[in-house]
Amino acid sequence: MSSTCLADSTKDSLVPAGLIGGCYGVKGWVKIRSFTEPQENLLGYRDLFLKYNKDTLEPLIIDTGRAHGKGLIAHIRGVDDRERARDLLGKQILIDIAGLPELHNDDYYWHQLVDLKVWCISSSERTLLGEVDHLLDTGANDVLVVRPCEGSLDAVERLIPYRLSDVVKKVDLVDRVLEVDWFHEE
């Protein structure tokens, strides 16, 4: 496996699809935490990359894999012993956005929600709470991690359940806005 520095335009089209979390056995297999839904979808994608650092990516080919416990186990081409597998621990698996399937209405990929301005509409006025920094998978539901931004209500980071129609009232990707009906203290 050889490392490669990709052009910024290529890097901009890549999003996280999983994370190598551990070694499995002695023949180079790894445990993978998949960010896809269902998690096994990760094994079917082509054009995967392994992120070594900010500027270094490497093409990633998964020879074989399967569900195992709460995650996946897989063998990566060129990784044939535990020591080489150990070198991959903590590395992100990225996928090119162009390889993702189209979604139905009111379905969004997490990367589409990052940096959206979050406005609270539960009071008589709209209040800017911040911007989506990232999302968390809690099992019960996804959670928006909203960081303060210029013009936001305060400097507090908020965790807001990503529950469409219940808490999240509107997602507007064109205007980069997400509206929530979420209690906040003033």
Side-chain angles (χ1 to χ4, degrees):
M1 294 169 64
S2 61
S3 295
T4 261
C5 285
L6 297 177
D8 286 340
S9 59
T10 303
K11 285 188 262 183
D12 290 343
S13 71
L14 300 175
V15 294
L19 183 72
I20 297 181
C23 298
Y24 182 81
V26 295
K27 295 186 179 182
W29 282 62
V30 293
K31 296 177 185 178
I32 296 175
R33 179 172 172 238
S34 174
F35 303 152
T36 64
E37 183 66 36
Q39 67 178 350
E40 292 86 1
N41 280 0
L42 178 67
L43 300 173
Y45 287 123
R46 300 294 167 248
D47 299 323
L48 294 173
F49 294 88
L50 198 58
K51 183 176 181 179
Y52 277 86
N53 58 46
K54 182 179 149 197
D55 295 318
T56 307
L57 302 171
E58 178 178 290
L60 175 70
I61 299 172
I62 296 176
D63 293 324
T64 187
R66 66 180 184 275
H68 182 77
K70 293 184 179 183
L72 303 172
I73 57 171
H75 184 266
I76 297 169
R77 183 177 294 166
V79 179
D80 295 319
D81 62 60
R82 189 173 181 87
E83 291 307 310
R84 179 65 178 116
R86 187 173 285 129
D87 293 340
L88 304 180
L89 298 184
K91 303 293 187 259
Q92 264 190 338
I93 298 171
L94 306 176
I95 186 170
D96 192 328
I97 293 170
L100 297 173
E102 255 185 69
L103 297 176
H104 302 291
N105 290 343
D106 294 332
D107 285 337
Y108 304 96
Y109 288 111
W110 283 12
H111 75 270
Q112 293 175 301
L113 303 177
V114 171
D115 294 331
L116 293 185
K117 299 276 189 204
V118 180
W119 290 88
C120 181
I121 59 168
S122 61
S123 63
S124 60
E125 295 180 18
R126 284 175 35 137
T127 305
L128 180 61
L129 299 179
E131 294 177 336
V132 176
D133 184 62
H134 62 281
L135 286 94
L136 301 172
D137 176 7
T138 64
N141 56 264
D142 298 332
V143 174
L144 299 162
V145 178
V146 179
R147 69 176 181 265
C149 67
E150 185 176 332
S152 62
L153 173 67
D154 51 30
V156 174
E157 182 177 90
R158 291 178 169 77
L159 302 177
I160 300 175
Y162 183 74
R163 295 195 318 249
L164 285 173
S165 76
D166 181 28
V167 175
V168 177
K169 299 300 185 178
K170 178 180 178 183
V171 176
D172 185 338
L173 297 179
V174 174
D175 290 333
R176 309 291 302 150
V177 169
L178 194 144
E179 290 181 350
V180 298
D181 186 358
W182 185 248
F183 172 78
H184 68 275
E185 296 179 18
E186 300 201 35

